[in-house]
Amino acid sequence: MADWSKKYALASTQLSQSPVYILAIAHDTGTLKADITAASTSFGVDANEGFDALAHSPVLLWDDDGYEFMEVTDIISEDHFVMRGQYGTTARAFEKGRTVFSPRVIFSSATVDSTDLPIIGGVMRFPSGGNQACDLRNGRLTTDNLSVDVVEKDGVSESRVTYSLKSANLIGKQAVLFGGYAGMDFKDYSFLYLGRVAALELRDGCVYNFQIEDVTSRLSKKLFGHLEDFESTDTSDITAGSKLFTAYNDSVLPVDADHEVGDGRYAAYYLVAEEGTANEEWMRLELPTPQVVRGSFGTTDITHTNTPLELYFAVEDNPIDVLLGLLISRHAGVPTPTNSDPDGKWYAWSYISDSGFDPVGLGIPPSEIDFTSFEYVRQWYANYKERYIFDRAENMKSYIEKYILKPHGLCFFITNTGKLGLMIARPPLDFTATEFGYDSIVGVPTVRWDNTEIINDVTVQYNWNAVSRVYDATPIEVIDSDSIAAHDMEGIVELEARGLATANNGQSLAKRLARNKKRHFSGPNPVITVPVLLTHGGVNPGDVVRVNHSRLPDPRAGTVGWNKYMLVVGKRPNWDTGALEFDVIDTQYLGKRYGLIAPDGTSDYGSASDAEKATYAFISGATEKMSDDTDAYQIM
């Protein structure tokens, strides 16, 4: 290894101690009923959940900023009286809606300093898996299960590990993994992973293997399957303005007064006459009183005589709220939830059933959605109005990736606290980005460029016809001839923007989607793999980080030294070495140098700090070069 590589092994001196991991698997979980402060001596749990904590046992609470263990001293109805800041952690405030985690078993890979956590005997091996990779080009998140082996020390039946699992059904229970280093105080351990136990297997008579899966396992469920049962038939005559009619010759459409599908969010719609004809009319069904709203989706309320009719589920909204509705489903007439107030706002709705309308959605609990990331991405699409129409069973993972995420330059990711988040391809600018620098990088990062993922010829299909099941608008095509000439290749991609309709400015929005896809990927983006300490466990895909390494070459610029904001798109724990390996990319448009407008008092370019130069835009001369001969900025 060259001398400079030894010097820039950076934080490797902190890895002279082995990594230590702690796995806690829940006995039960509940939801915090109200805010608590660091001084609170009790908390309430929603009584409807039947939360079953054990007196004189630990409970764990966490949020995006940290975690705390408490010990339950008494339980009176919903109220749990506790001693705060136990097992080396510090008392802190938590907002209502946070998960209350009551551990059934706690295992560790080695002795943990400065804590008296009730760790079960036996030997926990280093984990494997728990990786994720976000493909923004195709809107596809790839993850694998976290796998953990726990070995009985002596293999004797009814020994400590076996006994601790007695009468415990751990399948489906939440599991939390912490990580740190030998000699580190437990309070400084990172919250690395949260998932649910998918399988437990006993191997060789003494090795318990836990397979722990993340929330993406719930995405592959099919929705809207029962719509196929409602075939087209002739209706009785429907006069203009009429809100009530017999929908089917054999029966009236089944309804359930306890279920609402109103507010325009995944409501049921009738389509009368063939779509695209002069007699086409969409009507939205309203419950619990079965009546229709005439002339939906900009069609005209007219008289129909013995006309074929189809039943659909449909929604018209910005794509991010459409996406949230598919993941969870919102009850009519309530505000959009937030991280701090998710309870009572969303319901786990499935599909139309034989007995009536059940609400629509995959049923992912609000506590497992990172609303902050969805709200951030929503601002990019606030002016989009998109229409999604369902008439048959759809695998939601495939549907969402192909028709929503890929066209819009989006991808899911999983936070270290187990929440499903949403990221967007964008210039990586962030005032508060975590720095991967001298005190955190372990070893030397790797940098990779290639042409395999270049996109310079984008076609967008839009204006989906739900009856003929084709896109009936002329496709939009955007070509970057400069990129094709520079790289001597065509990177062709077709986007199916299922939600864009001509009536909702679909042509203009299709052009925008095509330009955005081309701008980000018309050149080979450098991908840097940065290994850092476990203490950066709270950094997730979708975050912007500042990679600062004075000896990392930048062949594109012809310089040595790297100090750039970059977007995290992958996270792979190296469990054996105790490092987290992050894949980060530079998603600047066409390699241009972007910056934000600087606040008053910012120094001129010549005197500005590296961080200011990486964040703010400075004015150049007519040469389009800065005083240090670097490229000029473009203002966001």
Side-chain angles (χ1 to χ4, degrees):
M1 183 184 292
D3 289 342
W4 70 266
S5 295
K6 290 180 180 178
K7 178 178 180 182
Y8 285 92
L10 304 179
S12 62
T13 55
Q14 299 185 39
L15 296 185
S16 58
Q17 299 295 328
S18 298
V20 179
Y21 304 105
I22 299 173
L23 177 69
I25 301 176
H27 159 72
D28 202 358
T29 55
T31 302
L32 196 62
K33 189 175 182 180
D35 294 353
I36 61 173
T37 69
S40 299
T41 57
S42 66
F43 62 81
V45 177
D46 190 339
N48 295 326
E49 296 178 325
F51 178 65
D52 182 24
L54 304 174
H56 308 293
S57 67
V59 291
L60 170 67
L61 280 83
W62 66 84
D63 57 22
D64 294 336
D65 298 319
Y67 59 89
E68 179 191 351
F69 270 102
M70 311 174 192
E71 184 168 321
V72 177
T73 58
D74 197 8
I75 303 173
I76 301 177
S77 185
E78 302 170 21
D79 295 322
H80 293 66
F81 294 86
V82 291
M83 293 189 295
R84 302 295 301 274
Q86 299 299 294
Y87 312 117
T89 61
T90 302
R92 52 197 315 277
F94 291 98
E95 296 175 331
K96 75 172 186 176
R98 298 299 176 186
T99 297
V100 181
F101 180 103
S102 174
R104 168 74 187 198
V105 289
I106 303 176
F107 304 112
S108 70
S109 63
T111 301
V112 182
D113 288 356
S114 67
T115 184
D116 52 352
L117 270 172
I119 294 171
I120 301 298
V123 178
M124 172 181 152
R125 294 172 177 167
F126 286 175
S128 62
N131 306 305
Q132 58 177 308
C134 306
D135 179 1
L136 281 165
R137 292 170 177 81
N138 296 298
R140 186 175 302 121
L141 169 65
T142 303
T143 66
D144 59 1
N145 286 352
L146 181 73
S147 178
V148 182
D149 286 342
V150 178
V151 185
E152 288 283 20
K153 286 184 177 179
D154 52 14
V156 177
S157 177
E158 291 293 320
S159 59
R160 292 198 65 194
V161 175
T162 301
Y163 184 77
S164 70
L165 300 177
K166 182 179 180 180
S167 302
N169 180 12
L170 299 182
I171 305 303
K173 299 294 187 181
Q174 282 191 338
V176 175
L177 185 75
F178 299 92
Y181 302 101
M184 177 184 284
D185 287 346
F186 175 62
K187 65 180 178 62
D188 297 322
Y189 275 46
S190 282
F191 196 120
L192 296 179
Y193 188 94
L194 184 145
R196 293 181 183 273
V197 178
L200 172 59
E201 181 180 352
L202 179 62
R203 301 171 179 173
D204 302 324
C206 62
V207 179
Y208 290 95
N209 173 258
F210 294 89
Q211 291 291 319
I212 302 168
E213 64 185 10
D214 59 56
V215 67
T216 59
S217 63
R218 307 184 188 194
L219 296 179
S220 294
K221 178 179 171 183
K222 286 188 176 182
L223 299 183
F224 308 108
H226 282 62
L227 285 171
E228 298 170 5
D229 296 339
F230 294 89
E231 298 178 353
S232 177
T233 67
D234 289 345
T235 69
S236 58
D237 292 352
I238 306 174
T239 60
S242 174
K243 295 182 180 297
L244 298 173
F245 58 88
T246 303
Y248 294 88
N249 292 335
D250 54 352
S251 67
V252 175
L253 181 73
V255 297
D256 183 344
D258 293 332
H259 290 141
E260 297 182 51
V261 287
D263 133 341
R265 218 169 260 284
Y266 297 93
Y269 285 84
Y270 293 118
L271 172 63
V272 185
E274 183 179 354
E275 186 178 25
T277 69
N279 293 326
E280 172 193 328
E281 182 185 356
W282 286 90
M283 307 177 188
R284 177 163 62 87
L285 179 64
E286 284 194 333
L287 297 176
T289 301
Q291 63 179 19
V292 292
V293 176
R294 303 293 299 271
S296 299
F297 294 150
T299 57
T300 303
D301 175 359
I302 59 176
T303 295
H304 304 275
T305 303
N306 204 31
T307 306
L309 176 148
E310 290 281 357
L311 181 68
Y312 297 84
F313 260 40
V315 64
E316 195 170 70
D317 209 332
N318 76 75
I320 308 310
D321 284 333
V322 169
L323 187 55
L324 282 170
L326 287 173
L327 295 173
I328 314 171
S329 191
R330 197 174 87 183
H331 191 275
V334 298
T336 300
T338 63
N339 272 345
S340 60
D341 189 20
D343 61 308
K345 304 293 192 266
W346 296 77
Y347 292 80
W349 292 12
S350 52
Y351 44 68
I352 206 169
S353 71
D354 293 331
S355 61
F357 288 101
D358 290 336
V360 177
L362 288 168
I364 296 176
S367 61
E368 296 182 29
I369 299 290
D370 178 34
F371 287 110
T372 298
S373 63
F374 280 80
E375 290 160 4
Y376 175 81
V377 174
R378 185 191 285 121
Q379 67 183 339
W380 296 75
Y381 296 101
N383 296 324
Y384 281 52
K385 188 177 184 181
E386 302 188 10
R387 180 187 305 168
Y388 293 83
I389 300 171
F390 300 91
D391 70 331
R392 63 187 61 192
E394 298 279 5
N395 178 292
M396 282 295 102
K397 184 176 188 297
S398 300
Y399 185 96
I400 287 170
E401 288 177 349
K402 185 174 183 179
Y403 302 126
I404 301 180
L405 300 183
K406 181 178 179 179
H408 294 89
L410 309 176
C411 191
F412 288 137
F413 66 90
I414 308 298
T415 71
N416 61 306
T417 55
K419 294 181 179 182
L420 184 70
L422 185 66
M423 63 186 295
I424 182 173
R426 59 188 172 94
L429 298 170
D430 194 328
F431 288 110
T432 59
T434 297
E435 179 175 329
F436 288 168
Y438 181 83
D439 60 351
S440 58
I441 296 177
V442 181
V444 180
T446 60
V447 187
R448 183 177 69 257
W449 290 264
D450 63 61
N451 285 348
T452 59
E453 299 293 348
I454 286 177
I455 296 174
N456 48 30
D457 186 343
V458 184
T459 299
V460 181
Q461 300 275 5
Y462 71 102
N463 210 53
W464 174 250
N465 186 316
V467 175
S468 58
R469 299 192 65 78
V470 298
Y471 296 96
D472 55 16
T474 302
I476 297 296
E477 185 175 19
V478 175
I479 298 174
D480 188 334
S481 56
D482 291 339
S483 171
I484 293 174
H487 303 292
D488 193 27
M489 66 172 293
E490 287 185 273
I492 300 173
V493 67
E494 181 176 280
L495 307 179
E496 294 189 54
R498 182 67 63 90
L500 296 189
T502 302
N504 292 333
N505 198 29
Q507 184 180 43
S508 175
L509 297 179
K511 289 179 180 178
R512 188 182 304 176
L513 293 182
R515 289 195 298 267
N516 286 345
K517 184 70 74 170
K518 170 186 70 74
R519 284 169 178 165
H520 287 299
F521 302 112
S522 60
N525 285 324
V527 179
I528 302 181
T529 300
V530 189
V532 298
L533 294 169
L534 294 175
T535 49
H536 284 300
V539 175
N540 298 299
D543 287 345
V544 171
V545 295
R546 181 178 163 213
V547 179
N548 185 6
H549 196 306
S550 63
R551 298 301 302 172
L552 188 65
D554 183 356
R556 187 167 63 179
T559 60
V560 174
W562 200 283
N563 184 16
K564 292 184 178 181
Y565 289 108
M566 305 191 76
L567 187 66
V568 179
V569 295
K571 186 176 184 179
R572 295 185 306 279
N574 188 326
W575 302 110
D576 292 339
T577 64
L580 297 174
E581 297 176 356
F582 289 93
D583 288 333
V584 299
I585 62 172
D586 185 354
T587 54
Q588 301 283 14
Y589 293 145
L590 298 175
K592 300 295 184 182
R593 188 179 190 182
Y594 276 77
L596 302 173
I597 297 175
D600 290 341
T602 302
S603 302
D604 291 338
Y605 184 82
S607 303
S609 66
D610 289 342
E612 288 172 329
K613 290 178 180 178
T615 305
Y616 305 122
F618 294 82
I619 298 173
S620 71
T623 62
E624 297 187 3
K625 293 288 184 180
M626 305 307 294
S627 58
D628 57 0
D629 202 38
T630 57
D631 291 335
Y633 292 82
Q634 297 188 28
I635 298 175
M636 283 295 293

